[in-house]
């Protein structure tokens, strides 16, 4: 599929079983070396605690935060494939924090997140200062929650990571626009570190529309979730047997035709979305109506890369076309 950038985590308790000793002797602790051998790069997600510190809950004490940073430093120093560290995974949700951090409530969550960000920043500076630090790690695009994160943490991070699951594709521009009103977010790179579909038949359509919309908004990267089956209803790129899915067909098409081109939104009206990639590729969708191609050398493809007959060609609100 041409996948070279991955996003995954590493279990802190699996690496540090005794305080201050880091051992990389399991498949789950050594996989970044295998990625590097194949030319891959990794965004490392770090979020959960270790039973050695703060009772295994989300790290919050000074001792646990220092240990958390030391763990991240040990992983990053060992594996050159790691190009960025994402601190927090959906930190604003009900599922990925525990202990005092969870019990303190959402209003205080940002402060705990920033303490983790700063601990990781100190660690990265010691070992590999060129590795980027991505903060936020939010489910959805919660501007209200992210405001205090940006107030106190913008200087400590190189990108803001978000998972816009609750935002329809055609609302991404408006909601990201609200987020961009914060001065620190106006120019800060955005990384959509999870983007998914629960529709096995139309996952390629969802992927293509999402990629086109986010690329036109200047988003740094979009990571499809998941790579392989997780059993949570989201459409992976690969089955458990390693076979490409419908989403993989869309991913392959994006890699081949769009990923190396600069995106521009040239939509002509409120009912038609047209994203230009370079000078010779368009991605179009919108309110259903007949579409005519003025030149014979223009080809229409669906999101899976299949040629669409010129006769009866039409726009769709959910199934985008690639014109090139």
């Amino acid at each position: 599929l041409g996948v070279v950038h991955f996003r995954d985590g590493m279990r802190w308790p699996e690496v540090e079983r005794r305080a201050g000793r880091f051992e990389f002797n399991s498949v789950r602790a050594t996989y970044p070396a295998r990625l590097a051998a194949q030319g891959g790069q990794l965004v490392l997600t770090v979020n959960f605690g270790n039973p050695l510190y703060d009772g295994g809950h989300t790290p919050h004490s000074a001792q646990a935060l220092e240990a958390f940073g030391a763990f991240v430093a040990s992983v990053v120093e060992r594996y050159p494939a790691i190009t960025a560290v994402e601190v927090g995974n959906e930190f604003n949700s009900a599922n990925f924090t525990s202990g005092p951090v969870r019990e303190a409530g959402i209003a205080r969550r940002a402060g705990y997140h920033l303490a983790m960000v700063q601990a990781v920043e100190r660690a990265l500076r010691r070992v590999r200062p060129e590795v980027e630090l991505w903060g936020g790690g939010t489910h959805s695009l919660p501007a209200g929650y992210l405001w205090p994160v940006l107030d106190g943490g913008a200087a400590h991070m190189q990108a803001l990571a978000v998972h816009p699951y609750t935002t329809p594709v055609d609302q991404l521009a408006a909601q990201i626009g609200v987020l961009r009103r914060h001065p620190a977010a106006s120019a800060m790179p955005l990384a959509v570190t999870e983007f998914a579909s629960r529709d096995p038949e139309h996952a390629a359509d969802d992927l293509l529309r999402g990629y086109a919309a986010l690329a036109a908004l200047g988003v740094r990267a979009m990571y499809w979730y998941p790579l392989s089956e997780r059993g949570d209803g989201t459409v992976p790129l690969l089955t458990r047997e390693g076979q490409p899915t419908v989403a993989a067909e869309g991913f392959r098409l994006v890699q081949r035709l769009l990923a190396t081109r600069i995106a521009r939104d040239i939509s002509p009206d409120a009912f038609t979305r047209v994203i230009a990639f370079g000078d010779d590729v368009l991605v179009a969708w919108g309110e259903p109506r007949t579409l005519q191609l003025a030149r014979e050398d223009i080809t229409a493809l669906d999101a899976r890369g299949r040629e669409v007959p010129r006769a009866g060609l039409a726009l769709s609100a959910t199934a985008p076309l690639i014109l090139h």
Side-chain angles (χ1 to χ4, degrees), residues 6 11 13 59 83 85 91 93-94 154 183 207-208 212 217 229 244 253 255 263 269 282:
F6 297 81
R11 300 181 183 187
T83 59
V85 175
F91 210 76
S93 73
L207 188 156
L208 179 57
L217 291 167
E229 289 185 60
L253 185 66
Q255 292 284 84
D269 54 59
L282 302 178

Side-chain angles (χ1 to χ4, degrees), residues 224-246:
W224 185 260
Y225 172 87
L227 174 63
S228 56
E229 289 185 60
R230 297 295 301 271
D232 57 6
T234 51
V235 182
L237 296 185
L238 303 174
T239 66
R240 291 192 184 278
E241 294 74 33
Q243 297 303 308
T245 66
V246 167

